[in-house]
Amino acid sequence: MARPLEGKVVVITGGSSGIGLAIAKCLAQAGASVALAARHEEKLEQARLKIAEIGGKVLAVKTDVCVRQQVKDLIAKTEAELGPVDILVNNAGIGYYTMMRNLKEDEWEKTVDVNCKGVLNGIGAVLSGMIARGKGHIVNMSSDSGRATCPGLAVYAGTKYFVEGMTSSMRKELVGTGIRVTNIQPGDVTTSFNENKMIDQEALDKYFNSELDKYLSPDDIGRAVVYAVSQPDGVAVNEILIEPTDFPLV
Ligand SMILES: NC(=O)c1ccc[n+]([C@@H]2O[C@H](COP(=O)([O-])OP(=O)(O)OC[C@H]3O[C@@H](n4cnc5c(N)ncnc54)[C@H](OP(=O)(O)O)[C@@H]3O)[C@@H](O)[C@H]2O)c1
Protein backbone atom coordinates (compact mmCIF):
# COMPACT_ATOMS: atom_id res chain seq x y z
CA MET A 1 0.00 0.00 0.00
CA ALA A 2 1.27 3.53 -0.80
CA ARG A 3 2.44 5.43 2.29
CA PRO A 4 2.35 9.11 1.22
CA LEU A 5 2.31 10.31 4.85
CA GLU A 6 5.45 8.50 6.03
CA GLY A 7 7.20 10.73 8.61
CA LYS A 8 4.19 13.05 9.13
CA VAL A 9 2.79 13.74 12.60
CA VAL A 10 -0.99 14.10 12.92
CA VAL A 11 -3.20 15.10 15.85
CA ILE A 12 -6.87 14.07 15.69
CA THR A 13 -9.37 15.43 18.20
CA GLY A 14 -12.36 13.18 18.80
CA GLY A 15 -10.07 10.38 17.68
CA SER A 16 -11.54 7.69 19.93
CA SER A 17 -14.62 6.81 17.87
CA GLY A 18 -16.63 7.25 14.70
CA ILE A 19 -15.19 9.51 12.03
CA GLY A 20 -12.10 10.47 14.05
CA LEU A 21 -11.09 6.86 14.61
CA ALA A 22 -11.59 6.05 10.91
CA ILE A 23 -9.44 9.06 9.95
CA ALA A 24 -6.75 7.84 12.37
CA LYS A 25 -6.84 4.38 10.81
CA CYS A 26 -6.59 5.71 7.24
CA LEU A 27 -3.80 8.18 8.10
CA ALA A 28 -1.82 5.52 10.00
CA GLN A 29 -2.17 3.16 7.02
CA ALA A 30 -0.78 5.97 4.88
CA GLY A 31 2.30 6.08 7.14
CA ALA A 32 1.55 8.91 9.61
CA SER A 33 2.32 8.90 13.35
CA VAL A 34 -0.92 9.69 15.12
CA ALA A 35 -1.94 11.37 18.39
CA LEU A 36 -5.55 10.70 19.40
CA ALA A 37 -7.42 13.07 21.73
CA ALA A 38 -10.79 12.69 23.49
CA ARG A 39 -12.21 12.93 27.02
CA HIS A 40 -12.98 9.31 27.99
CA GLU A 41 -9.76 7.46 28.72
CA GLU A 42 -10.98 3.88 28.38
CA LYS A 43 -12.40 4.43 24.88
CA LEU A 44 -9.31 6.39 23.95
CA GLU A 45 -7.04 3.54 25.04
CA GLN A 46 -9.10 1.02 23.02
CA ALA A 47 -8.69 3.29 20.00
CA ARG A 48 -4.94 3.56 20.60
CA LEU A 49 -4.62 -0.23 20.63
CA LYS A 50 -6.58 -0.52 17.35
CA ILE A 51 -4.33 2.02 15.61
CA ALA A 52 -1.18 0.46 17.12
CA GLU A 53 -2.08 -2.82 15.34
CA ILE A 54 -1.51 -1.02 12.03
CA GLY A 55 2.08 -0.27 13.08
CA GLY A 56 3.82 3.06 13.45
CA LYS A 57 3.67 5.37 16.43
CA VAL A 58 0.42 6.23 18.17
CA LEU A 59 -0.24 8.33 21.24
CA ALA A 60 -3.45 8.81 23.25
CA VAL A 61 -3.90 12.04 25.20
CA LYS A 62 -6.97 12.67 27.36
CA THR A 63 -8.19 16.09 26.25
CA ASP A 64 -11.33 18.20 26.45
CA VAL A 65 -11.17 20.50 23.43
CA CYS A 66 -13.25 23.08 25.30
CA VAL A 67 -10.36 23.66 27.73
CA ARG A 68 -7.73 25.76 25.97
CA GLN A 69 -4.82 24.73 28.20
CA GLN A 70 -5.60 21.02 27.70
CA VAL A 71 -5.37 21.48 23.93
CA LYS A 72 -2.04 23.31 24.27
CA ASP A 73 -0.82 20.44 26.49
CA LEU A 74 -1.98 17.92 23.86
CA ILE A 75 0.14 19.61 21.21
CA ALA A 76 3.15 19.95 23.55
CA LYS A 77 2.98 16.26 24.51
CA THR A 78 2.64 15.21 20.87
CA GLU A 79 5.62 17.34 19.84
CA ALA A 80 7.73 15.95 22.71
CA GLU A 81 6.91 12.33 21.83
CA LEU A 82 6.30 12.29 18.07
CA GLY A 83 7.78 15.54 16.71
CA PRO A 84 6.36 18.79 15.28
CA VAL A 85 2.70 18.58 14.26
CA ASP A 86 2.29 18.53 10.47
CA ILE A 87 -1.48 18.00 10.41
CA LEU A 88 -4.19 18.87 12.93
CA VAL A 89 -7.62 17.32 12.39
CA ASN A 90 -10.19 19.33 14.36
CA ASN A 91 -12.76 16.55 14.36
CA ALA A 92 -14.35 16.55 17.86
CA GLY A 93 -17.93 17.71 17.58
CA ILE A 94 -21.42 17.19 18.98
CA GLY A 95 -24.96 17.92 17.83
CA TYR A 96 -28.56 17.53 19.02
CA TYR A 97 -31.76 17.31 17.01
CA THR A 98 -33.90 20.03 18.58
CA MET A 99 -36.51 22.57 17.54
CA MET A 100 -35.45 26.12 18.42
CA ARG A 101 -38.85 26.76 19.98
CA ASN A 102 -38.24 23.96 22.51
CA LEU A 103 -35.40 26.02 24.01
CA LYS A 104 -32.78 23.36 24.77
CA GLU A 105 -30.44 26.12 25.86
CA ASP A 106 -27.95 23.95 27.77
CA GLU A 107 -27.46 21.85 24.63
CA TRP A 108 -27.12 24.99 22.48
CA GLU A 109 -24.28 26.11 24.72
CA LYS A 110 -22.51 22.73 24.77
CA THR A 111 -22.68 22.55 20.98
CA VAL A 112 -21.14 26.01 20.57
CA ASP A 113 -18.45 25.20 23.15
CA VAL A 114 -17.25 22.01 21.43
CA ASN A 115 -17.85 22.84 17.77
CA CYS A 116 -16.73 26.49 17.74
CA LYS A 117 -14.47 27.10 20.75
CA GLY A 118 -12.95 23.61 20.47
CA VAL A 119 -11.91 24.25 16.87
CA LEU A 120 -10.44 27.64 17.80
CA ASN A 121 -8.51 26.04 20.68
CA GLY A 122 -7.02 23.57 18.21
CA ILE A 123 -6.01 26.27 15.78
CA GLY A 124 -4.61 28.42 18.59
CA ALA A 125 -2.40 25.56 19.77
CA VAL A 126 -0.75 24.80 16.39
CA LEU A 127 -0.78 27.96 14.31
CA SER A 128 2.36 29.71 15.63
CA GLY A 129 4.44 26.55 15.25
CA MET A 130 3.19 25.90 11.72
CA ILE A 131 3.90 29.51 10.70
CA ALA A 132 7.42 29.29 12.19
CA ARG A 133 8.09 26.04 10.28
CA GLY A 134 6.56 27.44 7.06
CA LYS A 135 4.26 24.43 6.62
CA GLY A 136 1.26 22.68 8.10
CA HIS A 137 -2.25 21.48 7.35
CA ILE A 138 -5.38 22.11 9.42
CA VAL A 139 -8.38 19.91 8.63
CA ASN A 140 -11.72 20.89 10.15
CA MET A 141 -14.61 18.44 10.35
CA SER A 142 -17.46 20.60 9.17
CA SER A 143 -20.67 19.10 7.73
CA ASP A 144 -23.00 19.44 4.79
CA SER A 145 -25.04 21.33 7.40
CA GLY A 146 -22.29 23.95 7.19
CA ARG A 147 -23.26 24.40 3.55
CA ALA A 148 -27.06 24.26 3.69
CA THR A 149 -29.48 25.22 6.46
CA CYS A 150 -30.91 22.28 8.30
CA PRO A 151 -34.22 22.35 10.26
CA GLY A 152 -33.99 20.34 13.50
CA LEU A 153 -30.25 21.04 13.65
CA ALA A 154 -30.26 24.85 13.67
CA VAL A 155 -27.61 25.41 16.35
CA TYR A 156 -25.46 22.56 15.02
CA ALA A 157 -25.68 23.97 11.49
CA GLY A 158 -24.86 27.41 12.91
CA THR A 159 -21.67 26.08 14.48
CA LYS A 160 -20.62 24.47 11.20
CA TYR A 161 -21.35 27.74 9.34
CA PHE A 162 -19.04 29.36 11.89
CA VAL A 163 -16.30 26.87 11.02
CA GLU A 164 -16.82 27.56 7.30
CA GLY A 165 -16.76 31.35 7.63
CA MET A 166 -13.83 31.49 10.06
CA THR A 167 -11.79 29.01 8.02
CA SER A 168 -12.37 30.69 4.68
CA SER A 169 -11.24 34.04 6.10
CA MET A 170 -8.22 32.49 7.83
CA ARG A 171 -7.20 30.65 4.65
CA LYS A 172 -6.92 33.98 2.82
CA GLU A 173 -4.86 35.47 5.68
CA LEU A 174 -2.47 32.52 5.54
CA VAL A 175 -1.55 32.88 1.87
CA GLY A 176 2.25 32.72 1.59
CA THR A 177 2.78 30.88 4.90
CA GLY A 178 2.77 27.36 3.44
CA ILE A 179 -0.24 26.39 5.57
CA ARG A 180 -3.25 24.67 4.01
CA VAL A 181 -6.74 24.51 5.50
CA THR A 182 -9.32 21.93 4.45
CA ASN A 183 -12.94 21.66 5.52
CA ILE A 184 -14.57 18.24 5.21
CA GLN A 185 -18.35 18.46 4.80
CA PRO A 186 -19.96 15.03 5.28
CA GLY A 187 -23.62 14.14 5.09
CA ASP A 188 -25.00 11.59 7.58
CA VAL A 189 -22.38 9.02 8.69
CA THR A 190 -23.00 5.85 10.75
CA THR A 191 -21.33 6.68 14.09
CA SER A 192 -22.41 7.08 17.71
CA PHE A 193 -23.02 10.77 16.99
CA ASN A 194 -26.73 10.57 17.83
CA GLU A 195 -26.36 8.36 20.93
CA ASN A 196 -27.67 10.04 24.11
CA LYS A 197 -28.61 13.07 22.07
CA MET A 198 -32.23 12.12 21.33
CA ILE A 199 -33.61 14.85 23.54
CA ASP A 200 -36.40 16.38 21.48
CA GLN A 201 -38.98 13.95 20.09
CA GLU A 202 -40.66 16.63 18.00
CA ALA A 203 -37.43 17.35 16.10
CA LEU A 204 -36.63 13.65 15.71
CA ASP A 205 -40.11 12.82 14.39
CA LYS A 206 -39.94 15.63 11.90
CA TYR A 207 -36.34 15.69 10.70
CA PHE A 208 -34.22 12.69 11.77
CA ASN A 209 -32.94 10.53 8.89
CA SER A 210 -33.67 6.94 9.95
CA GLU A 211 -32.89 5.42 6.52
CA LEU A 212 -29.57 3.70 7.17
CA ASP A 213 -28.99 3.10 3.46
CA LYS A 214 -28.73 6.89 3.18
CA TYR A 215 -25.66 7.11 5.43
CA LEU A 216 -21.94 7.15 4.66
CA SER A 217 -19.43 4.96 6.50
CA PRO A 218 -16.68 6.54 8.67
CA ASP A 219 -14.07 5.05 6.30
CA ASP A 220 -15.55 7.09 3.44
CA ILE A 221 -14.53 10.21 5.38
CA GLY A 222 -11.12 8.76 6.35
CA ARG A 223 -10.25 8.25 2.68
CA ALA A 224 -11.32 11.82 1.85
CA VAL A 225 -8.96 13.18 4.52
CA VAL A 226 -6.03 11.11 3.20
CA TYR A 227 -6.70 12.56 -0.27
CA ALA A 228 -6.80 16.14 1.06
CA VAL A 229 -3.55 15.92 3.03
CA SER A 230 -1.56 13.93 0.45
CA GLN A 231 -1.51 16.52 -2.34
CA PRO A 232 1.74 18.13 -3.53
CA ASP A 233 2.77 21.52 -2.08
CA GLY A 234 0.93 24.19 -4.03
CA VAL A 235 -2.25 22.12 -4.32
CA ALA A 236 -4.90 23.09 -1.77
CA VAL A 237 -7.99 20.95 -1.40
CA ASN A 238 -9.98 23.61 0.41
CA GLU A 239 -13.18 21.67 0.91
CA ILE A 240 -14.65 18.26 0.29
CA LEU A 241 -18.43 17.90 0.26
CA ILE A 242 -19.16 14.19 0.63
CA GLU A 243 -22.76 12.99 0.82
CA PRO A 244 -24.66 9.73 0.39
CA THR A 245 -25.54 9.38 -3.30
CA ASP A 246 -29.28 9.25 -2.61
CA PHE A 247 -29.38 11.95 0.08
CA PRO A 248 -27.99 15.29 -1.12
CA LEU A 249 -28.65 18.17 1.29
CA VAL A 250 -26.64 20.69 -0.70
N1 LIG B 1 -21.98 11.41 12.13
C1 LIG B 1 -22.42 12.26 11.23
O1 LIG B 1 -23.48 12.03 10.60
C2 LIG B 1 -21.64 13.51 10.91
C3 LIG B 1 -21.94 14.21 9.73
C4 LIG B 1 -21.24 15.37 9.43
C5 LIG B 1 -20.25 15.82 10.28
N2 LIG B 1 -19.99 15.13 11.43
C6 LIG B 1 -18.93 15.66 12.31
O2 LIG B 1 -17.94 14.68 12.49
C7 LIG B 1 -17.28 14.88 13.74
C8 LIG B 1 -17.16 13.56 14.48
O3 LIG B 1 -18.46 13.04 14.72
P1 LIG B 1 -18.79 11.49 14.82
O4 LIG B 1 -19.99 11.26 14.00
O5 LIG B 1 -17.59 10.67 14.60
O6 LIG B 1 -19.25 11.43 16.35
P2 LIG B 1 -18.91 10.43 17.54
O7 LIG B 1 -18.87 9.02 17.05
O8 LIG B 1 -19.89 10.80 18.61
O9 LIG B 1 -17.43 10.86 17.98
C9 LIG B 1 -17.19 12.08 18.59
C10 LIG B 1 -15.77 12.10 19.10
O10 LIG B 1 -15.52 13.40 19.65
C11 LIG B 1 -15.07 13.24 21.00
N3 LIG B 1 -15.48 14.43 21.77
C12 LIG B 1 -16.73 14.88 22.02
N4 LIG B 1 -16.67 15.98 22.78
C13 LIG B 1 -15.36 16.24 23.01
C14 LIG B 1 -14.65 17.22 23.73
N5 LIG B 1 -15.29 18.18 24.41
N6 LIG B 1 -13.30 17.17 23.75
C15 LIG B 1 -12.63 16.20 23.08
N7 LIG B 1 -13.24 15.24 22.38
C16 LIG B 1 -14.59 15.26 22.35
C17 LIG B 1 -15.68 11.93 21.47
O11 LIG B 1 -14.97 11.34 22.56
P3 LIG B 1 -15.28 11.69 24.11
O12 LIG B 1 -16.77 11.71 24.25
O13 LIG B 1 -14.60 10.63 24.88
O14 LIG B 1 -14.65 13.02 24.35
C18 LIG B 1 -15.51 11.10 20.21
O15 LIG B 1 -14.19 10.62 20.11
C19 LIG B 1 -18.08 15.97 14.46
O16 LIG B 1 -17.42 17.21 14.32
C20 LIG B 1 -19.40 15.99 13.71
O17 LIG B 1 -20.02 17.25 13.77
C21 LIG B 1 -20.65 13.99 11.77
Side-chain angles (χ1 to χ4, degrees), residues 188-204:
D188 285 329
V189 185
T190 47
T191 69
S192 55
F193 186 74
N194 294 312
E195 270 173 29
N196 306 319
K197 302 192 189 92
M198 306 299 206
I199 57 166
D200 186 336
Q201 198 56 48
E202 186 187 359
L204 291 169

Side-chain angles (χ1 to χ4, degrees), residues 13-21 23 37-41 43-44 62-67 70-71 90-95 97 110 113-115 118-119 140-145 156 159-160 184-195 197 215-216 218 221 242:
T13 68
S16 65
S17 76
I19 293 172
L21 181 56
I23 293 170
R39 293 165 305 169
H40 296 94
E41 272 177 305
K43 241 170 74 182
L44 194 57
K62 181 179 179 331
T63 310
D64 183 340
V65 295
C66 301
V67 182
Q70 287 190 20
V71 184
N90 274 317
N91 166 75
I94 60 170
Y97 276 86
K110 278 188 221 163
D113 282 351
V114 180
N115 297 8
V119 169
N140 298 315
M141 196 49 58
S142 178
S143 169
D144 60 355
S145 328
Y156 176 75
T159 64
K160 297 301 187 182
I184 309 290
Q185 301 152 344
D188 285 329
V189 185
T190 47
T191 69
S192 55
F193 186 74
N194 294 312
E195 270 173 29
K197 302 192 189 92
Y215 276 69
L216 299 162
I221 314 305
I242 171 169

